[in-house]
Amino acid sequence: MELAASNKYINANLDLPGSKSIANRVLPLAAMANGVSTIHNVPDVGEDVQLMLQALSQLGIKIERIRTDVNGCSSYKIYGCGGKLPVADAELFLGNSGTSIRFLSAMLALTPGSYILTGIARMKERPIKDLIFALSQLGCQIDYLENDGFPPIKVGGFVDNAASEVAISGRVSSQYLTGVLMALPLLGRMVQIRIKDELISRPYVDITLQLLELFGVKASEIEENVFQIPVSDGYKAIEYTVEPDASSASYFLAMGAINGDVIVNHLSATSLQGDRNFARILERMGAKVTYNDTSIHVKASDDLKAITVNMEDMPDVAMTIAVLALFADGITTINGIASWKVKETDRLFAIYTELIKLGAEVSYTDDSITIVPPEKINTNISIDTYNDHRMAMCFSLLAVAGIPVVINDYECVGKTFANYFDLFKQIVY
Ligand SMILES: O=C(O)C1=C[C@@H](OP(=O)(O)O)[C@@H](O)[C@H](O)C1
Ligand SMILES: C=C(OP(=O)(O)O)C(=O)O
């Protein structure tokens, strides 16, 4: 897709689609709950969430679309199975959705049925070993069907061994801990989970803990990195509205910082998602930022300036900062991004390669990237997107900064935001 340079001052007031991370927690929790839940603002524009919905209906969960909400979202009724899935044998295709495969692997491993979980070729390169190792401590039976440590896997034949403590690594992905936290309340007894090394992407675990509480299970962190699941009779049904996706918001807030005045509604300093803090990074780069009760507002102010920043808590929107570095005065260093290598693509390689094409001087280590912007950014460059939605969305910012660019295979945005470029064109041109 060719994106012409825009010199327009961007004025936008946006209602964005619901959060993938929240939807992909709430939907399986509602599926396992006792009773019928109603969930609003579920993004139909995101393949990851559609794959989760599809998997749940394959497992026999009744799901009813009851209403169309704004911007490609719907409200659904989820008929919870009270922890007893109607279908005991299924093969689930989960695309390249890390949340779907990690959360469902954990939940299904602790139920009596037999299930295969698989995905696209890249999914088969994304590690899952640390999660499997934790689940096997509870008596879960799990086999790797192709390569050790990676999907596809087969889970089945769970026999509870009454373990009261599980140790898990949080160094590669926080999604493993989230999966275990979501699955354990189904056992109904008290269990402790201990992080045996370090925990990256911590704000995502906070989303999990807050949502578990809404579903009636108050898991607590009894000491740093030790989590306790209480005795419970499972999840209760809820009515809930999914917040807009704060990672998707980053592209529009960044447009405000480059050349505009952008308001994103229904996100605030108290939103569940850690990426709510993205605008605070824009503020450090020189944008004028206001957090209101029900919106985040970013306005261009001074020229953008380079910063050194640790993005371990916000790995997804760290990519947005990497592109903004092109327009910032000085040298940007982003630390805390080791997890980039195991996401939709090797994001370290992808970001490095595409920034170089644009004329930047870029270097990296295992968990950092340093970007020196060129005097003049190369125009009309074809940006490869590596089947990674965020590559397409963050490099689209070039057009907003007045640099014409071509985004190859732009349809990859469908993973979380199929209508991204429709919205982009509406507000940028
Ligand atoms: O739990 C979640 O919803 C997510 C956690 C993060 O992954 P890691 O914990 O693997 O960094 C993030 O990158 C991903 O987009 C969504
Ligand atoms: C890393 C991501 O997704 P996931 O791990 O859920 O596939 C993402 O959306 O940037």
Side-chain angles (χ1 to χ4, degrees):
M1 174 182 286
E2 288 182 21
L3 298 179
S6 163
N7 295 310
K8 189 178 127 184
Y9 187 78
I10 308 232
N11 258 307
N13 186 323
L14 300 167
D15 285 316
L16 295 175
S19 153
K20 166 199 82 169
S21 289
I22 294 179
N24 271 2
R25 285 165 170 75
V26 168
L27 294 171
L29 292 174
M32 288 300 195
N34 301 300
V36 183
S37 294
T38 305
I39 314 297
H40 306 284
N41 210 29
V42 175
D44 290 336
V45 288
E47 183 187 78
D48 282 10
V49 174
Q50 295 309 300
L51 287 166
M52 174 62 88
L53 282 168
Q54 220 172 72
L56 295 174
S57 44
Q58 247 182 291
L59 293 167
I61 302 296
K62 185 175 163 204
I63 298 173
E64 225 173 65
R65 189 166 173 277
I66 55 166
R67 197 181 79 192
T68 303
D69 301 327
V70 290
N71 215 341
C73 295
S74 296
S75 295
Y76 288 92
K77 266 198 193 317
I78 313 285
Y79 292 77
C81 68
K84 292 186 185 58
L85 287 166
V87 173
D89 198 326
E91 177 165 339
L92 307 176
F93 175 79
L94 300 163
N96 194 9
S97 173
T99 53
S100 302
I101 204 163
R102 276 92 181 241
F103 304 166
L104 287 174
S105 294
M107 293 176 103
L108 295 177
L110 292 179
T111 62
S114 165
Y115 306 98
I116 290 176
L117 297 98
T118 188
I120 65 165
R122 173 60 182 171
M123 179 69 104
K124 298 178 181 181
E125 296 171 352
R126 297 184 67 184
I128 198 162
K129 189 177 186 166
D130 294 330
L131 172 61
I132 303 310
F133 183 68
L135 292 169
S136 50
Q137 294 164 47
L138 292 156
C140 300
Q141 305 295 318
I142 303 161
D143 295 313
Y144 295 113
L145 300 180
E146 289 179 17
N147 294 318
D148 266 13
F150 299 89
I153 57 167
K154 181 173 185 181
V155 305
F158 173 62
V159 180
D160 191 354
N161 65 5
S164 58
E165 196 179 303
V166 185
I168 188 168
S169 168
R171 192 178 269 163
V172 174
S173 169
S174 69
Q175 294 176 1
Y176 309 146
L177 172 62
T178 285
V180 175
L181 284 168
M182 286 166 62
L184 280 178
L186 299 171
L187 292 183
R189 57 185 170 77
M190 192 184 289
V191 191
Q192 278 183 16
I193 313 163
R194 181 180 296 276
I195 296 290
K196 60 183 184 190
D197 36 32
E198 64 193 281
L199 177 58
I200 63 160
S201 299
R202 165 73 209 213
Y204 289 97
V205 173
D206 295 327
I207 302 179
T208 311
L209 295 173
Q210 292 188 59
L211 291 176
L212 288 182
E213 191 168 349
L214 277 181
F215 278 91
V217 173
K218 188 156 174 34
S220 47
E221 187 168 8
I222 51 174
E223 58 183 89
E224 197 187 347
N225 286 346
V226 182
F227 301 86
Q228 182 158 286
I229 303 288
V231 177
S232 82
D233 17 329
Y235 296 119
K236 68 173 177 30
I238 62 169
E239 175 158 9
Y240 184 73
T241 301
V242 177
E243 289 173 358
D245 193 296
S247 321
S248 301
S250 75
Y251 313 109
F252 299 97
L253 296 174
M255 290 177 202
I258 295 168
N259 184 29
D261 187 347
V262 173
I263 297 175
V264 172
N265 294 310
H266 308 299
L267 283 175
S268 70
T270 56
S271 296
L272 286 187
Q273 302 159 80
D275 284 357
R276 66 181 180 271
N277 289 323
F278 174 75
R280 301 203 187 281
I281 315 290
L282 296 180
E283 192 169 29
R284 283 184 55 199
M285 295 181 80
K288 189 168 176 312
V289 172
T290 318
Y291 281 84
N292 302 310
D293 285 350
T294 59
S295 65
I296 301 178
H297 186 170
V298 174
K299 199 171 167 191
S301 169
D302 304 329
D303 285 346
L304 289 178
K305 53 178 183 289
I307 53 170
T308 294
V309 61
N310 189 310
M311 295 297 282
E312 189 179 287
D313 280 352
M314 291 187 265
D316 296 353
V317 295
M319 295 169 77
T320 320
I321 300 294
V323 173
L324 282 179
L326 287 168
F327 323 126
D329 188 16
I331 301 174
T332 296
T333 296
I334 306 173
N335 295 308
I337 51 163
S339 70
W340 271 11
K341 278 187 150 323
V342 290
K343 301 210 186 262
E344 278 77 338
T345 183
D346 175 347
R347 288 178 167 170
L348 195 55
F349 175 78
I351 289 275
Y352 167 85
T353 308
E354 301 311 305
L355 288 177
I356 294 270
K357 284 193 202 166
L358 291 158
E361 206 181 292
V362 187
S363 57
Y364 59 82
T365 68
D366 278 350
D367 91 329
S368 73
I369 189 161
T370 295
I371 301 152
V372 186
E375 296 249 305
K376 192 174 169 313
I377 299 171
N378 296 333
T379 54
N380 294 307
I381 297 297
S382 274
I383 297 293
D384 290 321
T385 47
Y386 307 76
N387 202 20
D388 183 345
H389 52 146
R390 300 202 191 284
M391 287 296 287
M393 294 190 278
C394 65
F395 280 94
S396 71
L397 294 174
L398 282 155
V400 180
I403 317 287
V405 66
V406 180
I407 305 289
N408 292 333
D409 306 312
Y410 71 94
E411 301 88 346
C412 60
V413 294
K415 188 171 191 281
T416 50
F417 202 165
N419 54 344
Y420 174 77
F421 281 108
D422 298 334
L423 194 54
F424 178 93
K425 286 176 180 166
Q426 265 174 41
I427 65 176
V428 170
Y429 299 111

